[in-house]
Amino acid sequence: MTRNEEPNRSSKSDSENSGGGTTAMRVIVPLQGVVQGRGGLFLGSVIPCAFFYFLQFYLKRNRKNEPEPNPDSDSNSGSPDPTRSHPTELTSLPRSLSRILLSPRLSGGAVSVSGRAGYVIKGGDSPYYVGQKRVEEDPFDESGNPDGVIELGSAQNIKMDWVSDNPGEVISDGLCLSGIASYEPCHGLMELKMAVAGFMSEATKNSVSFDPSQLVFTSGAASAIEILSFCLADSGNAFLVPTPCSPGYDKDVKWRTGVDLIHVPCRSADNFNISMLVLDRAFYQAKKRGVRIRGVIISNPWNPTGTLLSRENLYALLDFARERNIHIISNEVFAGSVHEEGGEFVSMAEVVDTEENVDRERVHIIYDLSKDLSFPGLRTAAIYSFNDSVLSASRKLTTLSPVSSPTQHLLISAISSPKFVQRFVKTNRERLLRVYTELVKGLKELGIECTRSSGGFFCWADMRGLISSYSEKGEIELWNKLLNIGKINVIPGSCCHCIEPGWFRLCFSNLSESDVPVVMNRIRKVCETCKS
């Protein structure tokens, strides 16, 4: 028997026990080898393929004449049907059963998420988020829910109800679906940039003229800080942040960029002012640990103390940044909310414009229309930078957090009028001052002192006399009493990375003047439980 005859005999026996497709393939493969060996690659491919299709046609034609199997006879008879030409196939198994047998669904282990997602989820246990959740579940309403939780944690100015009082000045009759439904530049319309540049100049009392071409819009100040962190630092780098600071920096800077924060503590003995000596020490300590510092983040007015940085402070910070070859991010989201009479707000942009030898490309400013305009739901902030590379990258990154077209057009309508801007800023400052004065007066009557606040929405209250122990644990215990007994959501100083336990941030802009006595009664109730 020759080598070629053995495969042919095997193919013949297999064709009697298999279907047409399997039989044909078992004949074709050896035939292809025979023909290829004698006729070359072309004939070895064409002849077997032609033979395969003719054989398939022949088998298919003959199968039509076979009787259909009777399913009833299969179930009632113990012997196989003699008319069948092939045994039962695996496809007769139920689909779900076959999948379980071949690949059990529970054999892959627990479903996991990324380590970054786990870090974000773990951060939700902070009092900063727990308090917000309580407010969402049981919000205070003077008529609808007078026993609900009063919100003094979120930095919003919702009681400045200019929209209801002046609907004609802030809502344009020209807005229509066709004008706002199309794609707009993610980094902002030039018309909006011009209007916001004018608004920022008014907010700074026209001490500086802002260039619209240096503005990049994004959906909120948190997104603006994240974009700047991405542009200025690589993963593993860090920013210096004097504390107490905004509790939002932890998520804004760290969550998605891989950039770290190094907190530089300021103390109550110095009225929580920035110490350049401590800042410099923190820089060199980080350098010894192998951490590259890429910049310093400041707030002006300061969050949470409400203090204003002097011109001398800003000059010292610029000198520090130049000497250490780092950047400055100046968070000026409350620039239009300076409420102290005679309080002088100095923008970092003003210092850069008036000085000739300042390295402008190191300076980046964040401004938030949502804060000063009392439109927190519109989520519109701006990056103002003197660095062309930062501006170019920021414009592209805003595709991930753009300001919607309807929002842009609504804001253009709201702030394009210089008369409206002047009246709004004046009215807003007057209301903030009245509420702040009443709140500080009421707290003082309860024995609670506050730092002097010149701008922003916050009262930085000293409640060290009410904590059970001078520790973070004692501070959190008092925060729990304020939330659960007093039904007031405030921010404990530990969320702001204050190293002195017992300080709390109260956002008074969420209150009307009639709300202040209600807050005082609730805090008095907590004070009585602490002293008993």
Side-chain angles (χ1 to χ4, degrees):
M1 182 180 295
T2 63
R3 186 182 305 172
N4 294 331
E5 289 174 344
E6 290 179 1
N8 288 331
R9 181 179 300 173
S10 176
S11 300
K12 183 176 180 180
S13 62
D14 289 341
S15 65
E16 294 174 359
N17 299 319
S18 305
T22 305
T23 303
M25 287 305 298
R26 292 182 178 180
V27 172
I28 293 305
V29 172
L31 181 61
Q32 185 176 5
V34 173
V35 179
Q36 229 175 20
R38 298 183 180 181
L41 180 62
F42 177 77
L43 293 179
S45 300
V46 173
I47 293 176
C49 288
F51 182 80
F52 173 80
Y53 286 115
F54 279 117
L55 184 58
Q56 284 285 83
F57 177 77
Y58 173 81
L59 294 174
K60 185 177 180 181
R61 187 175 181 182
N62 287 347
R63 196 178 294 125
K64 291 181 179 179
N65 299 326
E66 295 177 1
E68 292 291 332
N70 189 349
D72 294 334
S73 63
D74 288 345
S75 60
N76 298 327
S77 175
S79 59
D81 189 349
T83 60
R84 283 194 171 183
S85 60
H86 56 276
T88 304
E89 297 180 354
L90 283 176
T91 54
S92 64
L93 289 173
R95 177 173 173 81
S96 60
L97 178 60
S98 64
R99 291 188 59 175
I100 292 175
L101 292 174
L102 295 175
S103 179
R105 295 181 181 178
L106 301 179
S107 64
V111 178
S112 62
V113 296
S114 68
R116 292 169 301 193
Y119 176 80
V120 171
I121 294 169
K122 185 178 179 181
D125 299 333
S126 165
Y128 180 75
Y129 297 103
V130 173
Q132 286 182 350
K133 186 177 180 181
R134 283 292 303 278
V135 173
E136 292 172 1
E137 294 171 349
D138 185 23
F140 170 80
D141 184 86
E142 187 176 0
S143 56
N145 187 22
D147 295 326
V149 180
I150 298 177
E151 173 65 294
L152 295 180
S154 296
Q156 51 186 353
N157 192 11
I158 56 177
K159 293 295 183 177
M160 178 63 183
D161 201 2
W162 182 275
V163 178
S164 299
D165 297 338
N166 303 271
E169 290 198 62
V170 297
I171 299 177
S172 172
D173 296 331
L175 293 181
C176 59
L177 186 61
S178 61
I180 62 177
S182 60
Y183 280 123
E184 305 284 7
C186 293
H187 52 82
L189 294 162
M190 179 52 70
E191 188 178 0
L192 177 60
K193 292 181 180 182
M194 294 175 66
V196 171
F199 186 88
M200 291 171 66
S201 295
E202 181 66 30
T204 57
K205 298 181 180 180
N206 295 310
S207 59
V208 60
S209 179
F210 291 90
D211 185 352
S213 66
Q214 294 173 216
L215 282 169
V216 175
F217 290 108
T218 184
S219 57
S223 177
I225 293 174
E226 184 186 62
I227 288 175
L228 283 177
S229 301
F230 185 92
C231 292
L232 302 179
D234 293 314
S235 179
N237 297 161
F239 287 100
L240 298 176
V241 182
T243 63
C245 64
S246 168
Y249 286 163
D250 288 326
K251 61 180 175 62
D252 301 344
V253 175
K254 298 169 65 175
W255 273 8
R256 298 197 296 186
T257 63
V259 178
D260 204 359
L261 294 176
I262 294 179
H263 300 105
V264 183
C266 303
R267 300 183 180 275
S268 58
D270 302 321
N271 200 30
F272 295 105
N273 289 320
I274 300 175
S275 168
M276 299 308 301
L277 180 63
V278 177
L279 201 66
D280 198 48
R281 184 185 305 141
F283 177 86
Y284 280 109
Q285 287 176 347
K287 188 176 181 180
K288 287 181 180 178
R289 297 195 305 269
V291 179
R292 186 180 182 188
I293 301 298
R294 294 295 295 151
V296 56
I297 301 176
I298 61 173
S299 298
N300 191 24
W302 200 267
N303 178 2
T305 63
T307 55
L308 298 174
L309 294 180
S310 66
R311 199 178 298 271
E312 290 72 22
N313 290 145
L314 299 179
Y315 281 129
L317 286 165
L318 283 170
D319 291 339
F320 174 75
R322 185 184 67 255
E323 292 169 3
R324 305 295 174 260
N325 192 25
I326 60 177
H327 295 265
I328 292 181
I329 298 178
S330 182
N331 187 354
E332 301 180 6
V333 298
F334 301 108
S337 300
V338 176
H339 48 75
E340 183 185 45
E341 295 180 4
E344 183 189 13
F345 169 76
V346 181
S347 173
M348 187 65 81
E350 179 183 350
V351 175
V352 170
D353 276 353
T354 55
E355 289 294 318
E356 295 181 357
N357 298 323
V358 173
D359 196 347
R360 302 160 63 94
E361 293 190 344
R362 299 184 188 278
V363 177
H364 320 278
I365 298 170
I366 295 173
Y367 183 69
D368 192 351
L369 285 166
S370 306
K371 297 288 190 290
D372 283 343
L373 278 175
S374 308
F375 294 158
L378 295 185
R379 296 187 179 276
T380 305
I383 295 171
Y384 189 79
S385 178
F386 299 90
N387 190 307
D388 290 337
S389 296
V390 170
L391 289 172
S392 179
S394 298
R395 292 186 188 106
K396 295 179 179 179
L397 288 169
T398 55
T399 57
L400 304 176
S401 55
V403 180
S404 70
S405 296
T407 297
Q408 292 194 54
H409 286 279
L410 182 60
L411 287 171
I412 290 170
S413 171
I415 63 176
S416 292
S417 168
K419 181 181 178 181
F420 160 75
V421 171
Q422 293 171 5
R423 288 183 58 197
F424 182 90
V425 171
K426 182 175 182 292
T427 304
N428 181 46
R429 286 174 171 165
E430 291 173 351
R431 191 196 79 84
L432 290 174
L433 180 60
R434 289 196 305 269
V435 177
Y436 170 74
T437 303
E438 289 297 316
L439 182 66
V440 171
K441 179 182 176 182
L443 290 172
K444 190 171 184 178
E445 292 174 355
L446 297 176
I448 300 172
E449 296 290 338
C450 302
T451 60
R452 178 182 174 182
S453 175
S454 302
F457 301 162
F458 310 113
C459 173
W460 188 235
D462 181 4
M463 298 188 183
R464 288 177 290 181
L466 300 176
I467 59 178
S468 59
S469 62
Y470 190 69
S471 62
E472 184 177 339
K473 180 181 178 182
E475 179 181 276
I476 297 302
E477 287 177 355
L478 178 57
W479 169 78
N480 266 304
K481 291 179 181 179
L482 288 166
L483 183 62
N484 297 309
I485 298 176
K487 285 201 166 184
I488 299 173
N489 178 40
V490 298
I491 303 298
S494 55
C495 289
C496 302
H497 298 282
C498 180
I499 63 169
E500 299 181 20
W503 290 85
F504 289 81
R505 189 188 83 170
L506 284 67
C507 182
F508 64 84
S509 59
N510 286 315
L511 302 174
S512 63
E513 292 177 71
S514 61
D515 293 333
V516 175
V518 179
V519 173
M520 292 300 105
N521 289 333
R522 295 191 180 191
I523 295 179
R524 182 179 292 107
K525 183 179 179 181
V526 174
C527 290
E528 291 172 355
T529 63
C530 293
K531 295 175 182 178
S532 60

